[in-house]
Amino acid sequence: EDKVVQSPLSLVVHEGDTVTLNCSYEVTNFRSLLWYKQEKKAPTFLFMLTSSGIEKKSGRLSSILDKKELFSILNITATQTGDSAVYLCAVEGEVGSEKLVFGKGTKLTVNP
Amino acid sequence: DVKVTQSSRYLVKRTGEKVFLECVQDMDHENMFWYRQDPGLGLRLIYFSYDVKMKEKGDIPEGYSVSREKKERFSLILESASTNQTSMYLCASTPAGERVQPQHFGDGTRLSIL
């Protein structure tokens, strides 16, 4: 059974801190790994990773995938209160399907 | 811009009622998905559809059915609502194709069954 495990489940930091969120996975046929940010409503797409070792970056957020060790990390530098959200990791693992398997999420709280 | 619209943000129904949750996307996407999201359990796939009139069971289809009569609309049906179906329901869509593309989500419907 395909599985995605995120850690930590929750995290509280102060503004300006750097955080690293972890996502490990077990899937039969890996196609891609996706990160989403969810505030009060719809999850919004952050990154999609398909190749090992290639960092994706958007402002203060970056992510990288290790297909050998089966994990990904999401880094957020110089955190702001607006980064407070649940961060979801999902893996697409079935050839010919766009089904995603989600982790339980990491709830990040950034205090001023 | 991509738009997935769910008909209700909040819904309160009674046990035993038949409940319809509607989702519409305006991007001509082939694939549509229904998830439920519960604290400590994350997002779990209920049903998905690859095309009009096509449907596939996800991981937790029991107690639910779906309808896809038009490409842009994917309905989730609770045949006889029960209190354990109180949850946040999220709809998503993505285009078909060989190249992997991210799913786009609606804002969710928070459903309470009393």
Side-chain angles (χ1 to χ4, degrees), chain A residues 31-32 34 36 38 41-43 45 48 88 92 97-100 102-104, chain B residues 9 31 33 35 37 40 42-43 45 48 50 94 97-98 100 102-103 105-107:
Chain A
R31 294 188 76 200
S32 64
L34 296 91
Y36 287 86
Q38 185 178 24
K41 299 189 286 186
F45 170 72
M48 183 166 67
L88 299 168
E92 184 172 10
S97 162
E98 280 78 15
K99 284 173 60 176
L100 293 178
F102 281 85
K104 294 179 181 179
Chain B
R9 288 296 316 280
N31 304 314
F33 306 82
Y35 296 89
Q37 185 176 29
L43 271 77
L45 181 64
F48 59 105
Y50 290 129
T94 191
E98 289 188 9
V100 173
Q103 292 184 12
F105 285 86
D107 284 344

PDB file of all heavy atoms in Angstrom, chain A residues 31-32 34 36 38 41-43 45 48 88 92 97-100 102-104, chain B residues 9 31 33 35 37 40 42-43 45 48 50 94 97-98 100 102-103 105-107:
ATOM      1  N   ARG A  31       6.012   8.671  -9.588  1.00  0.00           N
ATOM      2  CA  ARG A  31       5.970   9.585 -10.736  1.00  0.00           C
ATOM      3  C   ARG A  31       6.351  10.998 -10.301  1.00  0.00           C
ATOM      4  O   ARG A  31       7.114  11.667 -10.977  1.00  0.00           O
ATOM      5  CB  ARG A  31       4.585   9.605 -11.374  1.00  0.00           C
ATOM      6  CG  ARG A  31       4.184   8.294 -12.012  1.00  0.00           C
ATOM      7  CD  ARG A  31       2.889   8.462 -12.786  1.00  0.00           C
ATOM      8  NE  ARG A  31       3.112   9.165 -14.049  1.00  0.00           N
ATOM      9  CZ  ARG A  31       2.149   9.778 -14.732  1.00  0.00           C
ATOM     10  NH1 ARG A  31       0.932   9.813 -14.277  1.00  0.00           N
ATOM     11  NH2 ARG A  31       2.417  10.371 -15.888  1.00  0.00           N
ATOM     12  N   SER A  32       5.775  11.458  -9.210  1.00  0.00           N
ATOM     13  CA  SER A  32       6.078  12.828  -8.782  1.00  0.00           C
ATOM     14  C   SER A  32       5.724  12.995  -7.316  1.00  0.00           C
ATOM     15  O   SER A  32       4.934  12.225  -6.763  1.00  0.00           O
ATOM     16  CB  SER A  32       5.291  13.839  -9.621  1.00  0.00           C
ATOM     17  OG  SER A  32       3.904  13.673  -9.400  1.00  0.00           O
ATOM     18  N   LEU A  34       4.514  16.194  -4.673  1.00  0.00           N
ATOM     19  CA  LEU A  34       3.988  17.560  -4.694  1.00  0.00           C
ATOM     20  C   LEU A  34       3.884  18.098  -3.272  1.00  0.00           C
ATOM     21  O   LEU A  34       3.576  17.356  -2.330  1.00  0.00           O
ATOM     22  CB  LEU A  34       2.595  17.588  -5.345  1.00  0.00           C
ATOM     23  CG  LEU A  34       2.524  17.198  -6.812  1.00  0.00           C
ATOM     24  CD1 LEU A  34       2.274  15.703  -6.971  1.00  0.00           C
ATOM     25  CD2 LEU A  34       1.421  17.968  -7.532  1.00  0.00           C
ATOM     26  N   TYR A  36       1.905  21.182  -1.107  1.00  0.00           N
ATOM     27  CA  TYR A  36       0.814  22.153  -1.098  1.00  0.00           C
ATOM     28  C   TYR A  36       0.839  22.900   0.234  1.00  0.00           C
ATOM     29  O   TYR A  36       1.257  22.371   1.261  1.00  0.00           O
ATOM     30  CB  TYR A  36      -0.550  21.459  -1.207  1.00  0.00           C
ATOM     31  CG  TYR A  36      -0.892  20.903  -2.565  1.00  0.00           C
ATOM     32  CD1 TYR A  36      -0.476  19.631  -2.945  1.00  0.00           C
ATOM     33  CD2 TYR A  36      -1.662  21.639  -3.466  1.00  0.00           C
ATOM     34  CE1 TYR A  36      -0.809  19.115  -4.190  1.00  0.00           C
ATOM     35  CE2 TYR A  36      -1.997  21.126  -4.709  1.00  0.00           C
ATOM     36  CZ  TYR A  36      -1.574  19.858  -5.058  1.00  0.00           C
ATOM     37  OH  TYR A  36      -1.909  19.345  -6.293  1.00  0.00           O
ATOM     38  N   GLN A  38      -1.874  24.830   2.793  1.00  0.00           N
ATOM     39  CA  GLN A  38      -3.294  24.987   3.048  1.00  0.00           C
ATOM     40  C   GLN A  38      -3.499  25.909   4.236  1.00  0.00           C
ATOM     41  O   GLN A  38      -3.114  25.585   5.353  1.00  0.00           O
ATOM     42  CB  GLN A  38      -3.965  23.633   3.302  1.00  0.00           C
ATOM     43  CG  GLN A  38      -5.471  23.753   3.449  1.00  0.00           C
ATOM     44  CD  GLN A  38      -6.144  22.410   3.651  1.00  0.00           C
ATOM     45  OE1 GLN A  38      -5.522  21.448   4.120  1.00  0.00           O
ATOM     46  NE2 GLN A  38      -7.412  22.311   3.303  1.00  0.00           N
ATOM     47  N   LYS A  41      -8.601  27.529   3.492  1.00  0.00           N
ATOM     48  CA  LYS A  41      -9.451  27.016   2.420  1.00  0.00           C
ATOM     49  C   LYS A  41      -8.724  25.977   1.560  1.00  0.00           C
ATOM     50  O   LYS A  41      -8.224  24.984   2.053  1.00  0.00           O
ATOM     51  CB  LYS A  41      -9.964  28.193   1.591  1.00  0.00           C
ATOM     52  CG  LYS A  41     -10.805  29.173   2.407  1.00  0.00           C
ATOM     53  CD  LYS A  41     -11.501  30.213   1.568  1.00  0.00           C
ATOM     54  CE  LYS A  41     -10.549  31.264   1.044  1.00  0.00           C
ATOM     55  NZ  LYS A  41     -11.274  32.376   0.340  1.00  0.00           N
ATOM     56  N   ALA A  42      -8.674  26.260   0.263  1.00  0.00           N
ATOM     57  CA  ALA A  42      -8.140  25.262  -0.667  1.00  0.00           C
ATOM     58  C   ALA A  42      -6.639  25.108  -0.522  1.00  0.00           C
ATOM     59  O   ALA A  42      -5.921  26.088  -0.361  1.00  0.00           O
ATOM     60  CB  ALA A  42      -8.463  25.693  -2.098  1.00  0.00           C
ATOM     61  N   PRO A  43      -6.127  23.882  -0.599  1.00  0.00           N
ATOM     62  CA  PRO A  43      -4.678  23.709  -0.708  1.00  0.00           C
ATOM     63  C   PRO A  43      -4.197  24.391  -1.978  1.00  0.00           C
ATOM     64  O   PRO A  43      -4.808  24.248  -3.043  1.00  0.00           O
ATOM     65  CB  PRO A  43      -4.507  22.184  -0.798  1.00  0.00           C
ATOM     66  CG  PRO A  43      -5.757  21.611  -0.228  1.00  0.00           C
ATOM     67  CD  PRO A  43      -6.838  22.590  -0.560  1.00  0.00           C
ATOM     68  N   PHE A  45      -0.982  24.952  -4.616  1.00  0.00           N
ATOM     69  CA  PHE A  45       0.179  24.227  -5.096  1.00  0.00           C
ATOM     70  C   PHE A  45       1.455  25.026  -4.876  1.00  0.00           C
ATOM     71  O   PHE A  45       1.511  26.223  -5.142  1.00  0.00           O
ATOM     72  CB  PHE A  45      -0.016  23.933  -6.588  1.00  0.00           C
ATOM     73  CG  PHE A  45       1.187  23.390  -7.283  1.00  0.00           C
ATOM     74  CD1 PHE A  45       1.613  22.098  -7.045  1.00  0.00           C
ATOM     75  CD2 PHE A  45       1.881  24.173  -8.173  1.00  0.00           C
ATOM     76  CE1 PHE A  45       2.724  21.601  -7.687  1.00  0.00           C
ATOM     77  CE2 PHE A  45       2.995  23.687  -8.835  1.00  0.00           C
ATOM     78  CZ  PHE A  45       3.417  22.392  -8.589  1.00  0.00           C
ATOM     79  N   MET A  48       6.272  20.812  -7.544  1.00  0.00           N
ATOM     80  CA  MET A  48       6.208  19.429  -7.998  1.00  0.00           C
ATOM     81  C   MET A  48       7.621  18.976  -8.322  1.00  0.00           C
ATOM     82  O   MET A  48       8.349  19.670  -9.040  1.00  0.00           O
ATOM     83  CB  MET A  48       5.328  19.293  -9.230  1.00  0.00           C
ATOM     84  CG  MET A  48       5.174  17.865  -9.684  1.00  0.00           C
ATOM     85  SD  MET A  48       3.833  17.682 -10.859  1.00  0.00           S
ATOM     86  CE  MET A  48       4.502  18.592 -12.245  1.00  0.00           C
ATOM     87  N   LEU A  88       1.128  20.239   3.059  1.00  0.00           N
ATOM     88  CA  LEU A  88       0.769  18.885   2.658  1.00  0.00           C
ATOM     89  C   LEU A  88       1.759  18.362   1.631  1.00  0.00           C
ATOM     90  O   LEU A  88       2.131  19.069   0.687  1.00  0.00           O
ATOM     91  CB  LEU A  88      -0.631  18.858   2.042  1.00  0.00           C
ATOM     92  CG  LEU A  88      -1.768  19.311   2.954  1.00  0.00           C
ATOM     93  CD1 LEU A  88      -3.044  19.524   2.136  1.00  0.00           C
ATOM     94  CD2 LEU A  88      -2.025  18.282   4.035  1.00  0.00           C
ATOM     95  N   GLU A  92       2.373  10.950  -6.332  1.00  0.00           N
ATOM     96  CA  GLU A  92       1.663  10.288  -7.410  1.00  0.00           C
ATOM     97  C   GLU A  92       2.452   9.038  -7.733  1.00  0.00           C
ATOM     98  O   GLU A  92       3.620   9.129  -8.127  1.00  0.00           O
ATOM     99  CB  GLU A  92       1.570  11.198  -8.614  1.00  0.00           C
ATOM    100  CG  GLU A  92       0.752  10.627  -9.745  1.00  0.00           C
ATOM    101  CD  GLU A  92       0.525  11.646 -10.838  1.00  0.00           C
ATOM    102  OE1 GLU A  92       1.150  12.715 -10.794  1.00  0.00           O
ATOM    103  OE2 GLU A  92      -0.259  11.353 -11.741  1.00  0.00           O
ATOM    104  N   SER A  97      -2.292   7.012 -13.921  1.00  0.00           N
ATOM    105  CA  SER A  97      -3.303   7.578 -13.026  1.00  0.00           C
ATOM    106  C   SER A  97      -2.796   8.888 -12.471  1.00  0.00           C
ATOM    107  O   SER A  97      -1.598   9.058 -12.277  1.00  0.00           O
ATOM    108  CB  SER A  97      -3.579   6.603 -11.893  1.00  0.00           C
ATOM    109  OG  SER A  97      -4.219   7.245 -10.814  1.00  0.00           O
ATOM    110  N   GLU A  98      -3.705   9.824 -12.228  1.00  0.00           N
ATOM    111  CA  GLU A  98      -3.312  11.061 -11.564  1.00  0.00           C
ATOM    112  C   GLU A  98      -3.686  11.044 -10.090  1.00  0.00           C
ATOM    113  O   GLU A  98      -3.761  12.074  -9.446  1.00  0.00           O
ATOM    114  CB  GLU A  98      -3.985  12.255 -12.256  1.00  0.00           C
ATOM    115  CG  GLU A  98      -3.296  12.691 -13.538  1.00  0.00           C
ATOM    116  CD  GLU A  98      -3.615  11.779 -14.715  1.00  0.00           C
ATOM    117  OE1 GLU A  98      -4.578  10.984 -14.627  1.00  0.00           O
ATOM    118  OE2 GLU A  98      -2.912  11.856 -15.724  1.00  0.00           O
ATOM    119  N   LYS A  99      -3.888   9.861  -9.526  1.00  0.00           N
ATOM    120  CA  LYS A  99      -4.228   9.757  -8.100  1.00  0.00           C
ATOM    121  C   LYS A  99      -3.068  10.206  -7.245  1.00  0.00           C
ATOM    122  O   LYS A  99      -1.911   9.900  -7.528  1.00  0.00           O
ATOM    123  CB  LYS A  99      -4.554   8.304  -7.758  1.00  0.00           C
ATOM    124  CG  LYS A  99      -5.897   7.833  -8.223  1.00  0.00           C
ATOM    125  CD  LYS A  99      -6.055   6.344  -7.987  1.00  0.00           C
ATOM    126  CE  LYS A  99      -5.927   5.959  -6.538  1.00  0.00           C
ATOM    127  NZ  LYS A  99      -6.169   4.515  -6.328  1.00  0.00           N
ATOM    128  N   LEU A 100      -3.389  10.942  -6.185  1.00  0.00           N
ATOM    129  CA  LEU A 100      -2.388  11.367  -5.217  1.00  0.00           C
ATOM    130  C   LEU A 100      -2.622  10.671  -3.879  1.00  0.00           C
ATOM    131  O   LEU A 100      -3.765  10.485  -3.467  1.00  0.00           O
ATOM    132  CB  LEU A 100      -2.460  12.880  -4.990  1.00  0.00           C
ATOM    133  CG  LEU A 100      -2.081  13.790  -6.165  1.00  0.00           C
ATOM    134  CD1 LEU A 100      -2.256  15.247  -5.779  1.00  0.00           C
ATOM    135  CD2 LEU A 100      -0.653  13.516  -6.607  1.00  0.00           C
ATOM    136  N   PHE A 102      -1.771  11.395  -0.008  1.00  0.00           N
ATOM    137  CA  PHE A 102      -1.361  12.515   0.823  1.00  0.00           C
ATOM    138  C   PHE A 102      -0.821  12.048   2.166  1.00  0.00           C
ATOM    139  O   PHE A 102      -1.289  11.061   2.741  1.00  0.00           O
ATOM    140  CB  PHE A 102      -2.552  13.436   1.089  1.00  0.00           C
ATOM    141  CG  PHE A 102      -2.874  14.362  -0.041  1.00  0.00           C
ATOM    142  CD1 PHE A 102      -3.682  13.937  -1.087  1.00  0.00           C
ATOM    143  CD2 PHE A 102      -2.368  15.651  -0.082  1.00  0.00           C
ATOM    144  CE1 PHE A 102      -3.979  14.780  -2.149  1.00  0.00           C
ATOM    145  CE2 PHE A 102      -2.662  16.507  -1.125  1.00  0.00           C
ATOM    146  CZ  PHE A 102      -3.462  16.076  -2.167  1.00  0.00           C
ATOM    147  N   GLY A 103       0.135  12.799   2.682  1.00  0.00           N
ATOM    148  CA  GLY A 103       0.511  12.673   4.085  1.00  0.00           C
ATOM    149  C   GLY A 103      -0.499  13.402   4.948  1.00  0.00           C
ATOM    150  O   GLY A 103      -1.414  14.058   4.439  1.00  0.00           O
ATOM    151  N   LYS A 104      -0.318  13.309   6.259  1.00  0.00           N
ATOM    152  CA  LYS A 104      -1.274  13.943   7.171  1.00  0.00           C
ATOM    153  C   LYS A 104      -1.023  15.436   7.338  1.00  0.00           C
ATOM    154  O   LYS A 104      -1.836  16.133   7.938  1.00  0.00           O
ATOM    155  CB  LYS A 104      -1.228  13.242   8.528  1.00  0.00           C
ATOM    156  CG  LYS A 104      -1.721  11.812   8.445  1.00  0.00           C
ATOM    157  CD  LYS A 104      -1.667  11.102   9.777  1.00  0.00           C
ATOM    158  CE  LYS A 104      -2.160   9.667   9.599  1.00  0.00           C
ATOM    159  NZ  LYS A 104      -2.110   8.885  10.843  1.00  0.00           N
TER     160      LYS A 104
ATOM    161  N   ARG B   9     -19.900  26.444   1.073  1.00  0.00           N
ATOM    162  CA  ARG B   9     -18.765  26.437   1.998  1.00  0.00           C
ATOM    163  C   ARG B   9     -19.116  25.679   3.273  1.00  0.00           C
ATOM    164  O   ARG B   9     -18.280  24.987   3.847  1.00  0.00           O
ATOM    165  CB  ARG B   9     -18.356  27.862   2.370  1.00  0.00           C
ATOM    166  CG  ARG B   9     -17.662  28.651   1.286  1.00  0.00           C
ATOM    167  CD  ARG B   9     -16.310  28.073   0.879  1.00  0.00           C
ATOM    168  NE  ARG B   9     -15.464  27.646   1.981  1.00  0.00           N
ATOM    169  CZ  ARG B   9     -14.715  28.453   2.723  1.00  0.00           C
ATOM    170  NH1 ARG B   9     -14.697  29.737   2.507  1.00  0.00           N
ATOM    171  NH2 ARG B   9     -13.961  27.973   3.694  1.00  0.00           N
ATOM    172  N   ASN B  31      -9.841  15.049 -15.494  1.00  0.00           N
ATOM    173  CA  ASN B  31      -9.826  14.327 -14.218  1.00  0.00           C
ATOM    174  C   ASN B  31     -10.398  15.174 -13.091  1.00  0.00           C
ATOM    175  O   ASN B  31     -10.026  16.330 -12.923  1.00  0.00           O
ATOM    176  CB  ASN B  31      -8.392  13.954 -13.841  1.00  0.00           C
ATOM    177  CG  ASN B  31      -7.709  13.150 -14.923  1.00  0.00           C
ATOM    178  OD1 ASN B  31      -8.279  12.210 -15.456  1.00  0.00           O
ATOM    179  ND2 ASN B  31      -6.492  13.533 -15.254  1.00  0.00           N
ATOM    180  N   PHE B  33     -11.707  14.853  -8.767  1.00  0.00           N
ATOM    181  CA  PHE B  33     -11.489  14.047  -7.563  1.00  0.00           C
ATOM    182  C   PHE B  33     -12.324  14.602  -6.405  1.00  0.00           C
ATOM    183  O   PHE B  33     -12.507  15.803  -6.291  1.00  0.00           O
ATOM    184  CB  PHE B  33     -10.020  14.105  -7.133  1.00  0.00           C
ATOM    185  CG  PHE B  33      -9.045  13.732  -8.207  1.00  0.00           C
ATOM    186  CD1 PHE B  33      -8.644  14.653  -9.161  1.00  0.00           C
ATOM    187  CD2 PHE B  33      -8.515  12.456  -8.263  1.00  0.00           C
ATOM    188  CE1 PHE B  33      -7.744  14.326 -10.153  1.00  0.00           C
ATOM    189  CE2 PHE B  33      -7.610  12.113  -9.246  1.00  0.00           C
ATOM    190  CZ  PHE B  33      -7.226  13.040 -10.194  1.00  0.00           C
ATOM    191  N   TYR B  35     -12.200  14.357  -2.183  1.00  0.00           N
ATOM    192  CA  TYR B  35     -11.485  13.942  -0.976  1.00  0.00           C
ATOM    193  C   TYR B  35     -12.305  14.365   0.239  1.00  0.00           C
ATOM    194  O   TYR B  35     -13.083  15.308   0.189  1.00  0.00           O
ATOM    195  CB  TYR B  35     -10.142  14.666  -0.860  1.00  0.00           C
ATOM    196  CG  TYR B  35      -9.141  14.384  -1.936  1.00  0.00           C
ATOM    197  CD1 TYR B  35      -9.103  15.143  -3.098  1.00  0.00           C
ATOM    198  CD2 TYR B  35      -8.179  13.384  -1.773  1.00  0.00           C
ATOM    199  CE1 TYR B  35      -8.155  14.903  -4.078  1.00  0.00           C
ATOM    200  CE2 TYR B  35      -7.225  13.140  -2.753  1.00  0.00           C
ATOM    201  CZ  TYR B  35      -7.222  13.915  -3.898  1.00  0.00           C
ATOM    202  OH  TYR B  35      -6.269  13.670  -4.865  1.00  0.00           O
ATOM    203  N   GLN B  37     -11.273  15.486   4.316  1.00  0.00           N
ATOM    204  CA  GLN B  37     -10.124  15.844   5.141  1.00  0.00           C
ATOM    205  C   GLN B  37     -10.544  15.875   6.593  1.00  0.00           C
ATOM    206  O   GLN B  37     -11.450  16.635   6.970  1.00  0.00           O
ATOM    207  CB  GLN B  37      -9.563  17.206   4.715  1.00  0.00           C
ATOM    208  CG  GLN B  37      -8.293  17.585   5.443  1.00  0.00           C
ATOM    209  CD  GLN B  37      -7.703  18.888   4.923  1.00  0.00           C
ATOM    210  OE1 GLN B  37      -8.417  19.756   4.443  1.00  0.00           O
ATOM    211  NE2 GLN B  37      -6.385  19.028   5.017  1.00  0.00           N
ATOM    212  N   GLY B  40      -5.896  14.755  11.820  1.00  0.00           N
ATOM    213  CA  GLY B  40      -5.111  13.571  12.138  1.00  0.00           C
ATOM    214  C   GLY B  40      -5.115  12.487  11.063  1.00  0.00           C
ATOM    215  O   GLY B  40      -4.360  11.520  11.164  1.00  0.00           O
ATOM    216  N   GLY B  42      -5.544  13.485   7.490  1.00  0.00           N
ATOM    217  CA  GLY B  42      -5.131  14.047   6.212  1.00  0.00           C
ATOM    218  C   GLY B  42      -6.229  13.959   5.167  1.00  0.00           C
ATOM    219  O   GLY B  42      -7.411  13.764   5.482  1.00  0.00           O
ATOM    220  N   LEU B  43      -5.848  14.088   3.915  1.00  0.00           N
ATOM    221  CA  LEU B  43      -6.790  13.980   2.796  1.00  0.00           C
ATOM    222  C   LEU B  43      -6.882  12.526   2.351  1.00  0.00           C
ATOM    223  O   LEU B  43      -5.862  11.878   2.105  1.00  0.00           O
ATOM    224  CB  LEU B  43      -6.323  14.813   1.601  1.00  0.00           C
ATOM    225  CG  LEU B  43      -6.773  16.260   1.550  1.00  0.00           C
ATOM    226  CD1 LEU B  43      -5.959  17.096   2.503  1.00  0.00           C
ATOM    227  CD2 LEU B  43      -6.658  16.794   0.129  1.00  0.00           C
ATOM    228  N   LEU B  45      -8.894   9.949  -0.477  1.00  0.00           N
ATOM    229  CA  LEU B  45      -9.619   9.971  -1.743  1.00  0.00           C
ATOM    230  C   LEU B  45     -10.872   9.120  -1.650  1.00  0.00           C
ATOM    231  O   LEU B  45     -10.815   7.943  -1.299  1.00  0.00           O
ATOM    232  CB  LEU B  45      -8.703   9.452  -2.856  1.00  0.00           C
ATOM    233  CG  LEU B  45      -9.278   9.433  -4.257  1.00  0.00           C
ATOM    234  CD1 LEU B  45      -9.576  10.851  -4.734  1.00  0.00           C
ATOM    235  CD2 LEU B  45      -8.296   8.753  -5.204  1.00  0.00           C
ATOM    236  N   PHE B  48     -12.909   9.241  -7.877  1.00  0.00           N
ATOM    237  CA  PHE B  48     -12.397  10.109  -8.915  1.00  0.00           C
ATOM    238  C   PHE B  48     -12.980   9.705 -10.260  1.00  0.00           C
ATOM    239  O   PHE B  48     -13.590   8.639 -10.392  1.00  0.00           O
ATOM    240  CB  PHE B  48     -10.876  10.129  -8.932  1.00  0.00           C
ATOM    241  CG  PHE B  48     -10.224   8.790  -9.139  1.00  0.00           C
ATOM    242  CD1 PHE B  48      -9.668   8.479 -10.366  1.00  0.00           C
ATOM    243  CD2 PHE B  48     -10.120   7.867  -8.111  1.00  0.00           C
ATOM    244  CE1 PHE B  48      -9.051   7.252 -10.567  1.00  0.00           C
ATOM    245  CE2 PHE B  48      -9.503   6.649  -8.301  1.00  0.00           C
ATOM    246  CZ  PHE B  48      -8.964   6.338  -9.532  1.00  0.00           C
ATOM    247  N   TYR B  50     -12.181   9.981 -14.615  1.00  0.00           N
ATOM    248  CA  TYR B  50     -11.268  10.314 -15.698  1.00  0.00           C
ATOM    249  C   TYR B  50     -11.970  10.994 -16.880  1.00  0.00           C
ATOM    250  O   TYR B  50     -11.318  11.533 -17.760  1.00  0.00           O
ATOM    251  CB  TYR B  50     -10.575   9.063 -16.241  1.00  0.00           C
ATOM    252  CG  TYR B  50      -9.576   8.469 -15.281  1.00  0.00           C
ATOM    253  CD1 TYR B  50      -9.618   7.122 -14.950  1.00  0.00           C
ATOM    254  CD2 TYR B  50      -8.598   9.257 -14.703  1.00  0.00           C
ATOM    255  CE1 TYR B  50      -8.696   6.581 -14.075  1.00  0.00           C
ATOM    256  CE2 TYR B  50      -7.672   8.722 -13.826  1.00  0.00           C
ATOM    257  CZ  TYR B  50      -7.728   7.386 -13.525  1.00  0.00           C
ATOM    258  OH  TYR B  50      -6.822   6.857 -12.656  1.00  0.00           O
ATOM    259  N   THR B  94      -7.612  18.024 -12.578  1.00  0.00           N
ATOM    260  CA  THR B  94      -6.335  18.107 -13.271  1.00  0.00           C
ATOM    261  C   THR B  94      -6.538  17.649 -14.703  1.00  0.00           C
ATOM    262  O   THR B  94      -7.408  16.812 -14.971  1.00  0.00           O
ATOM    263  CB  THR B  94      -5.272  17.248 -12.544  1.00  0.00           C
ATOM    264  OG1 THR B  94      -3.988  17.535 -13.064  1.00  0.00           O
ATOM    265  CG2 THR B  94      -5.542  15.775 -12.685  1.00  0.00           C
ATOM    266  N   GLY B  97      -3.103  13.611 -19.534  1.00  0.00           N
ATOM    267  CA  GLY B  97      -1.927  13.773 -20.376  1.00  0.00           C
ATOM    268  C   GLY B  97      -0.745  13.026 -19.789  1.00  0.00           C
ATOM    269  O   GLY B  97      -0.764  12.659 -18.625  1.00  0.00           O
ATOM    270  N   GLU B  98       0.255  12.842 -20.602  1.00  0.00           N
ATOM    271  CA  GLU B  98       1.416  12.080 -20.148  1.00  0.00           C
ATOM    272  C   GLU B  98       2.231  12.863 -19.134  1.00  0.00           C
ATOM    273  O   GLU B  98       2.843  12.301 -18.237  1.00  0.00           O
ATOM    274  CB  GLU B  98       2.282  11.708 -21.347  1.00  0.00           C
ATOM    275  CG  GLU B  98       1.631  10.666 -22.224  1.00  0.00           C
ATOM    276  CD  GLU B  98       2.576  10.171 -23.305  1.00  0.00           C
ATOM    277  OE1 GLU B  98       3.769  10.497 -23.266  1.00  0.00           O
ATOM    278  OE2 GLU B  98       2.095   9.463 -24.199  1.00  0.00           O
ATOM    279  N   VAL B 100       2.920  14.934 -15.987  1.00  0.00           N
ATOM    280  CA  VAL B 100       2.285  15.064 -14.676  1.00  0.00           C
ATOM    281  C   VAL B 100       1.967  16.529 -14.400  1.00  0.00           C
ATOM    282  O   VAL B 100       2.791  17.407 -14.633  1.00  0.00           O
ATOM    283  CB  VAL B 100       3.231  14.523 -13.587  1.00  0.00           C
ATOM    284  CG1 VAL B 100       2.666  14.794 -12.211  1.00  0.00           C
ATOM    285  CG2 VAL B 100       3.463  13.038 -13.798  1.00  0.00           C
ATOM    286  N   PRO B 102      -0.124  19.265 -11.458  1.00  0.00           N
ATOM    287  CA  PRO B 102      -0.685  19.313 -10.113  1.00  0.00           C
ATOM    288  C   PRO B 102      -2.203  19.411 -10.137  1.00  0.00           C
ATOM    289  O   PRO B 102      -2.785  19.959 -11.066  1.00  0.00           O
ATOM    290  CB  PRO B 102      -0.076  20.579  -9.510  1.00  0.00           C
ATOM    291  CG  PRO B 102       0.277  21.430 -10.681  1.00  0.00           C
ATOM    292  CD  PRO B 102       0.627  20.496 -11.783  1.00  0.00           C
ATOM    293  N   GLN B 103      -2.816  18.882  -9.086  1.00  0.00           N
ATOM    294  CA  GLN B 103      -4.261  19.020  -8.926  1.00  0.00           C
ATOM    295  C   GLN B 103      -4.585  20.419  -8.394  1.00  0.00           C
ATOM    296  O   GLN B 103      -3.848  20.970  -7.588  1.00  0.00           O
ATOM    297  CB  GLN B 103      -4.790  17.957  -7.961  1.00  0.00           C
ATOM    298  CG  GLN B 103      -4.684  16.551  -8.527  1.00  0.00           C
ATOM    299  CD  GLN B 103      -5.284  15.509  -7.614  1.00  0.00           C
ATOM    300  OE1 GLN B 103      -5.979  15.811  -6.647  1.00  0.00           O
ATOM    301  NE2 GLN B 103      -5.016  14.246  -7.925  1.00  0.00           N
ATOM    302  N   PHE B 105      -7.455  22.634  -6.375  1.00  0.00           N
ATOM    303  CA  PHE B 105      -8.496  22.354  -5.397  1.00  0.00           C
ATOM    304  C   PHE B 105      -9.522  23.481  -5.298  1.00  0.00           C
ATOM    305  O   PHE B 105      -9.205  24.666  -5.496  1.00  0.00           O
ATOM    306  CB  PHE B 105      -7.877  22.169  -4.005  1.00  0.00           C
ATOM    307  CG  PHE B 105      -7.188  20.855  -3.834  1.00  0.00           C
ATOM    308  CD1 PHE B 105      -5.870  20.693  -4.221  1.00  0.00           C
ATOM    309  CD2 PHE B 105      -7.871  19.773  -3.284  1.00  0.00           C
ATOM    310  CE1 PHE B 105      -5.236  19.470  -4.067  1.00  0.00           C
ATOM    311  CE2 PHE B 105      -7.242  18.551  -3.123  1.00  0.00           C
ATOM    312  CZ  PHE B 105      -5.921  18.394  -3.512  1.00  0.00           C
ATOM    313  N   GLY B 106     -10.759  23.088  -4.975  1.00  0.00           N
ATOM    314  CA  GLY B 106     -11.765  24.049  -4.560  1.00  0.00           C
ATOM    315  C   GLY B 106     -11.556  24.431  -3.106  1.00  0.00           C
ATOM    316  O   GLY B 106     -10.679  23.891  -2.423  1.00  0.00           O
ATOM    317  N   ASP B 107     -12.395  25.377  -2.620  1.00  0.00           N
ATOM    318  CA  ASP B 107     -12.235  25.895  -1.264  1.00  0.00           C
ATOM    319  C   ASP B 107     -12.767  24.958  -0.189  1.00  0.00           C
ATOM    320  O   ASP B 107     -12.552  25.199   0.990  1.00  0.00           O
ATOM    321  CB  ASP B 107     -12.936  27.256  -1.136  1.00  0.00           C
ATOM    322  CG  ASP B 107     -12.140  28.361  -1.795  1.00  0.00           C
ATOM    323  OD1 ASP B 107     -10.936  28.140  -2.064  1.00  0.00           O
ATOM    324  OD2 ASP B 107     -12.713  29.438  -2.048  1.00  0.00           O
TER     325      ASP B 107
END
